[in-house]
Amino acid sequence: MKGILKFAVPAVLTLSLAGCFDSDSELPTPVPPPSPPVVDATLRVVHASFDAPAVNVSVNGDVVIENLAYGNSSENFSLPPADYAVAVDAILPGEGNTATVIDVPELALAEATNYKVFAVGLVADETLAPLVVTSDVAELADGNVRLQVVHAASTAPAVDIHVTAPDAELGAPLTTLAFTEFTDALDVPAGDYRVRITLPGTDTVVFDSNTLELAGGTDLVVAAINSEYSGASPVSLIAVTPEGEVLPILDDSSTSSLRVAHNVSDAPAVDVVVNDNFTEPLVSDLAFPDFTGYVTPAPGDYNVKVTVANTETAVIDADVTLDAGAFYTVLAVGSLSDADDFAIEPLILIDNTRTVATEARVRIIHGSTLAGNVDIYVTADGDISDAMPAFSDVAFKAETGYVPLAAGEYFVTVTPTGTKTAAIETGALMLEANKIYTAIARDGAGLMGVGLTVMDGFVAE
């Protein structure tokens, strides 16, 4: 009996295994492992063409970015990997007028890749083009900062880029970049840094950021672009975040730029005195209706007095703050009459000196105490009988801002609000693209009638 038991278990086992491998049985189909998820690409557009107007950006024919101005970036778009048609349309003067200036019919976006499309070059010399800057989407470790540096400044030569601790010597450059070149994305510890740009192989610094505090987790594309700020450096920097926020970084030696216009028709010639330095006025013997060129004081807080020329008798005494990189026009406006509404005071305006190759830019300032509120007409022939004003009910000390106009001939007519009675007629004005034109409505000499002071492109160079 014991012998039979010894062989019974193996026999049963053999029969069971034979049943499992019977020719009529099917093996279970293996389940494949899940495919890794597709990681989208990202796309943003940065406007770095100095003389180009604001632009719209289309992807596959749909406008996704509107009115993107110089030195600004779009937000980051997540897009599935594929080929996309990307077009950049310049916004031209006139309602709804645009022109395609960059056309990329097939921009292949790869998986898990960041794309930054810079519009670089100049419209005027027909070098405007797209610069596609790429990096991967790797996770950024805690406590690190990611930096990618781009040379997008069309007026700058090849340069050395130095990224150091704030007090460090220049040492060897991080990299040397020519226009349209860029680095890989570099991860560095968070902390304080200093960016200096020099001419290649030299210690000649053409840009100095001074101390930059970079917080952990920051992912920045840092681009050198043509400077629109007051100062000697030909470039400034923009640091662009993935969300499209732009942080301007100015050269540490940036100045302020300031010009003064005497717009008080019944006042004598004046001096402009800064911080009570009467022996060395900032401006001397400025007569109505003259104006100065730009002077470049250091940024900061100042007390400014406008005095009767060669005296300490102040008709204006004001404290002003001048910001780094900013341009200002300061008008002395008002009258020596007893009317409180027109007491002599400074009118401080912020200027924008960047010209645009596709348009003339015109600014009109109301500085007349006699004219009251006015309507301003800009027409092709000077006939305002059936025209609507370009600006209505403009008050004393108000301005139009910079108005884009197509190059050509124009007539400017200023009337008391609600009337067609011309108080100022300019006659034919030939306006050129890539220029700025400034006009100031003023009282006539000795408070007799009204007149116009013209500046910038109106003045022969």
Side-chain angles (χ1 to χ4, degrees):
M1 189 70 180
K2 291 182 180 178
I4 295 173
L5 289 175
K6 286 183 181 178
F7 289 98
V9 174
V12 173
L13 180 59
T14 301
L15 289 172
S16 299
L17 291 176
C20 291
F21 289 94
D22 185 85
S23 59
D24 293 331
S25 301
E26 294 183 1
L27 292 175
T29 303
V31 177
S35 300
V38 174
V39 179
D40 282 348
T42 67
L43 173 68
R44 77 187 95 152
V45 178
V46 183
H47 188 332
S49 175
F50 183 78
D51 67 346
V55 299
N56 298 330
V57 181
S58 299
V59 176
N60 288 348
D62 296 324
V63 176
V64 296
I65 303 163
E66 292 185 304
N67 202 32
L68 182 64
Y70 177 69
N72 284 270
S73 170
S74 74
E75 63 180 332
N76 230 16
F77 296 93
S78 292
L79 296 169
D83 291 346
Y84 293 88
V86 178
V88 178
D89 295 329
I91 300 174
L92 303 178
E95 187 70 28
N97 290 337
T98 62
T100 299
V101 291
I102 293 177
D103 187 10
V104 184
E106 289 189 9
L107 177 61
L109 301 189
E111 182 181 0
T113 304
N114 290 320
Y115 291 86
K116 284 79 66 173
V117 180
F118 285 77
V120 298
L122 297 175
V123 175
D125 63 10
E126 299 182 350
T127 60
L128 182 64
L131 169 61
V132 181
V133 177
T134 60
S135 61
D136 62 35
V137 294
E139 290 291 328
L140 181 59
D142 291 342
N144 276 1
V145 176
R146 181 164 295 153
L147 296 175
Q148 187 169 28
V149 182
V150 182
H151 187 332
S154 61
T155 59
V159 293
D160 287 344
I161 309 291
H162 300 261
V163 180
T164 68
D167 297 328
E169 299 294 328
L170 279 172
L174 172 69
T175 187
T176 299
L177 297 178
F179 175 52
T180 71
E181 293 183 339
F182 54 91
T183 68
D184 293 331
L186 306 173
D187 289 2
V188 298
D192 290 344
Y193 289 88
R194 183 179 182 184
V195 177
R196 282 170 285 185
I197 300 174
T198 67
L199 299 178
T202 76
D203 291 338
T204 303
V205 177
V206 296
F207 177 90
D208 185 348
S209 71
N210 210 322
T211 301
L212 300 175
E213 184 179 347
L214 301 182
T218 307
D219 185 345
L220 297 175
V221 178
V222 179
I225 63 174
N226 297 351
S227 177
E228 57 180 331
Y229 300 106
S230 174
S233 179
V235 301
S236 61
L237 301 184
I238 53 173
V240 186
T241 71
E243 295 73 32
E245 182 182 3
V246 172
L247 312 172
I249 303 172
L250 278 62
D251 178 46
D252 187 51
S253 63
S254 293
T255 62
S256 301
S257 282
L258 172 74
R259 62 183 177 180
V260 180
H262 189 325
N263 206 59
V264 181
S265 69
D266 59 348
V270 298
D271 296 339
V272 179
V273 176
V274 174
N275 293 342
D276 292 329
N277 187 359
F278 292 97
T279 59
E280 296 180 3
L282 182 68
V283 176
S284 298
D285 208 26
L286 181 65
F288 172 82
D290 294 341
F291 55 89
T292 69
Y294 284 108
V295 294
T296 54
D301 297 326
Y302 294 92
N303 174 261
V304 176
K305 293 182 174 66
V306 177
T307 69
V308 176
N310 303 308
T311 76
E312 295 187 11
T313 303
V315 293
I316 293 175
D317 185 343
D319 294 323
V320 300
T321 298
L322 302 181
D323 292 331
F327 291 82
Y328 300 91
T329 294
V330 179
L331 281 69
V333 297
S335 168
L336 288 177
S337 68
D338 293 333
D340 290 339
D341 290 343
F342 301 118
I344 296 176
E345 61 180 310
L347 176 59
I348 302 175
L349 304 174
I350 297 176
D351 299 343
N352 185 332
T353 62
R354 185 177 71 89
T355 59
V356 177
T358 55
E359 64 194 36
R361 302 174 70 209
V362 179
R363 178 171 66 162
I364 302 172
I365 303 158
H366 186 340
S368 170
T369 66
L370 300 176
N373 288 15
V374 299
D375 295 338
I376 302 173
Y377 296 82
V378 180
T379 61
D381 56 8
D383 182 5
I384 66 169
S385 55
D386 295 321
M388 295 295 293
F391 303 94
S392 298
D393 203 24
V394 180
F396 175 57
K397 298 187 291 184
E399 59 149 323
T400 63
Y402 291 91
V403 180
L405 294 173
E409 187 174 82
Y410 295 89
F411 294 74
V412 177
T413 307
V414 180
T415 73
T417 291
T419 78
K420 298 286 186 176
T421 304
I424 298 174
E425 294 180 283
T426 64
L429 301 173
M430 183 56 69
L431 304 183
E432 299 178 31
N434 227 4
K435 285 192 174 182
I436 291 173
Y437 298 86
T438 300
I440 306 168
R442 56 173 171 76
D443 299 335
L447 294 177
M448 299 295 291
V450 294
L452 203 65
T453 297
V454 294
M455 306 169 74
D456 297 322
F458 287 124
V459 180
E461 296 179 356

